[in-house]
Amino acid sequence: MEQQTVISNRQMMAIVTLATVGTSSLYAPATLALYAERNSWYLVVVGGMIGVFNIYLFVWLNRLYPDKNLITIITHLLGKWIGGALALVYIFFFMDLGTWVLREFSQFFVIALDPTIPIILYLIAGGIMCGYAVYMGLEVFARVSEIIFFVTTFVFLAIYAVLVNQYHPEYLLPVLEHGLIQPLKGLMVPISWFGDLMIISMLLNHLRKTKQTPYYISGTIGIIIIILLLSVLTCTMSLGGEATATFTYPSISLIQNISLFRNIERFDAILVAVWVMSSFVKITVYLWSAVRGLTDLFSLRNPRLVVWPLIAGCIICANYKAWGLIEIAFFYDKYAWYFVIFQLFVPTALLLVALGKEKLNPDKNR
């Protein structure tokens, strides 16, 4: 977790991709189908376009302040008191988002494995696993993320290929029959998913930048859009828009009964395993960001000392977040604006302040 920690372009791409697409890819088809039915793909495309702006917003900030992350940029731009308060709010946001995913992670295991086991045990197990990764530092879980990224990408593409004989392209017709505006009432949800790209703001000053770095950043957003688009299109063309909206995780329901050569089946277990690994990366990187933020804000000499108290607090908070997956899905849907405020709106305001300061005092900006 030291400032000298360096990760590669590939590792950055792996972390950001998994943190963005790993969990949302399973419930994206059902959530978007509630708003746009067969035109859910349109929300992914428009949300992806806003996601491109989102990620390059943080890249722009990093170019202005190459030695700073989001937390130190905030305190630099807004001063000790206002900036410090906002930075502390962002640290709590990182922790809050991590606890939401930790609760979803544990709730899923309660349903999938054994409902009689208290959820607190799954929370503790998940917290210890992610806490250990945070304790070991960015370079360690970056290497793990690189492996998980290739496994996840391969599994997603393989499953979508296996389902190809079930596709009914006619389920996508008529295309945008209600116009371009009507489906956008659900746009805030995909914007919040792509908003997870904000985690790059905590990684860029640890990145070993090369001439290929811009291509890796562009490739990251491209891979995310493709995976989400394939997830939505697969469910829509296989189940239809209305039917997709009735499932919590339509991708899992869709592949439960698939078998190859009459002997190879249970592809849903593979998809669940990939989802679990992606959730691990997402929880870890947000909790690491919280620790990194506390370190920078309070000039901690040994940030590892705060890891386990922070993990313990996250486990307790996650235990009281929600009573089940339905309530979690409802919160992600109805309160997507809460995430977007921190992911997009506030960073946009920070960029405007930074550009204004640079214009007024170009020599003192840094």
Side-chain angles (χ1 to χ4, degrees):
M1 292 186 296
E2 295 80 7
Q3 190 69 27
Q4 301 91 331
T5 301
V6 176
I7 60 175
S8 68
N9 288 317
R10 251 196 337 263
Q11 290 167 343
M12 176 276 297
M13 182 174 68
I15 293 173
V16 176
T17 300
L18 292 172
T20 305
V21 80
T23 56
S24 59
S25 60
L26 290 188
Y27 54 81
T31 303
L32 298 184
L34 290 172
Y35 290 101
E37 294 185 356
R38 67 174 66 89
N39 297 310
S40 299
W41 60 269
Y42 177 62
L43 288 176
V44 176
V45 172
V46 179
M49 293 169 63
I50 297 174
V52 172
F53 168 77
N54 202 350
I55 195 169
Y56 279 103
L57 184 156
F58 293 109
V59 172
W60 199 344
L61 282 171
N62 181 257
R63 287 177 178 172
L64 294 174
Y65 308 102
D67 59 335
K68 293 178 172 61
N69 57 38
L70 180 61
I71 300 301
T72 50
I73 288 173
I74 290 172
T75 55
H76 176 81
L77 287 176
L78 303 181
K80 180 179 178 181
W81 298 107
I82 297 177
L86 182 58
L88 193 60
V89 170
Y90 258 98
I91 291 169
F92 280 111
F93 173 72
F94 291 148
M95 295 171 58
D96 184 52
L97 208 156
T99 55
W100 274 108
V101 182
L102 179 60
R103 176 66 193 220
E104 184 183 7
F105 172 89
S106 304
Q107 195 73 51
F108 189 87
F109 274 111
V110 169
I111 296 173
L113 295 182
D114 189 349
T116 62
I117 297 178
I119 192 171
I120 188 65
L121 297 181
Y122 291 113
L123 289 170
I124 292 173
I128 291 174
M129 181 176 64
C130 296
Y132 179 73
V134 174
Y135 186 86
M136 295 305 296
L138 176 62
E139 288 183 343
V140 174
F141 78 78
R143 288 193 290 268
V144 174
S145 300
E146 196 172 3
I147 299 171
I148 295 174
F149 169 75
F150 288 111
V151 173
T152 300
T153 305
F154 173 79
V155 168
F156 275 130
L157 295 178
I159 287 176
Y160 298 145
V162 168
L163 290 169
V164 70
N165 63 340
Q166 298 190 30
Y167 293 165
H168 299 277
E170 64 272 16
Y171 288 175
L172 298 174
L173 302 175
V175 175
L176 296 173
E177 67 274 22
H178 299 298
L180 297 175
I181 304 301
Q182 193 272 344
L184 296 182
K185 63 182 180 180
L187 183 60
M188 191 65 72
V189 178
I191 290 177
S192 70
W193 296 338
F194 284 102
D196 283 317
L197 291 164
M198 73 171 296
I199 207 62
I200 199 172
S201 65
M202 300 298 293
L203 300 174
L204 281 174
N205 64 327
H206 294 282
L207 180 65
R208 185 186 296 109
K209 297 181 178 68
T210 67
K211 293 181 179 179
Q212 286 74 41
T213 298
Y215 300 105
Y216 276 94
I217 294 174
S218 301
T220 298
I221 185 68
I223 291 171
I224 292 168
I225 292 174
I226 289 172
I227 291 178
L228 284 178
L229 199 57
L230 286 175
S231 175
V232 168
L233 287 173
T234 296
C235 292
T236 304
M237 289 192 295
S238 301
L239 301 171
E242 294 183 6
T244 298
T246 62
F247 293 93
T248 303
Y249 296 111
S251 298
I252 295 178
S253 302
L254 187 62
I255 67 176
Q256 280 180 335
N257 298 318
I258 293 179
S259 63
L260 289 179
F261 311 113
R262 300 183 180 180
N263 294 315
I264 304 176
E265 52 187 18
R266 298 303 301 181
F267 285 94
D268 55 317
I270 301 175
L271 191 59
V272 168
V274 166
W275 181 84
V276 168
M277 291 188 290
S278 301
S279 298
F280 159 75
V281 173
K282 185 169 185 174
I283 298 167
T284 300
V285 72
Y286 271 110
L287 296 185
W288 173 84
S289 297
V291 174
R292 180 73 260 172
L294 288 170
T295 302
D296 293 330
L297 186 61
F298 297 107
S299 301
L300 301 179
R301 293 184 179 181
N302 189 358
R304 285 181 169 177
L305 293 178
V306 305
V307 172
W308 293 114
L310 184 145
I311 294 298
C314 288
I315 291 172
I316 294 171
C317 290
N319 190 47
Y320 297 100
K321 280 288 185 183
W323 58 264
L325 287 175
I326 295 177
E327 187 176 357
I328 293 173
F330 176 82
F331 183 86
Y332 288 163
D333 182 11
K334 300 303 179 182
Y335 296 95
W337 55 266
Y338 160 70
F339 302 103
V340 175
I341 286 174
F342 293 97
Q343 296 165 338
L344 180 60
F345 296 154
V346 174
T348 301
L350 289 173
L351 179 61
L352 294 176
V353 171
L355 293 175
K357 279 195 169 186
E358 184 178 79
K359 185 175 181 179
L360 293 174
N361 299 295
D363 298 328
K364 297 182 180 180
N365 186 44
R366 303 176 190 222

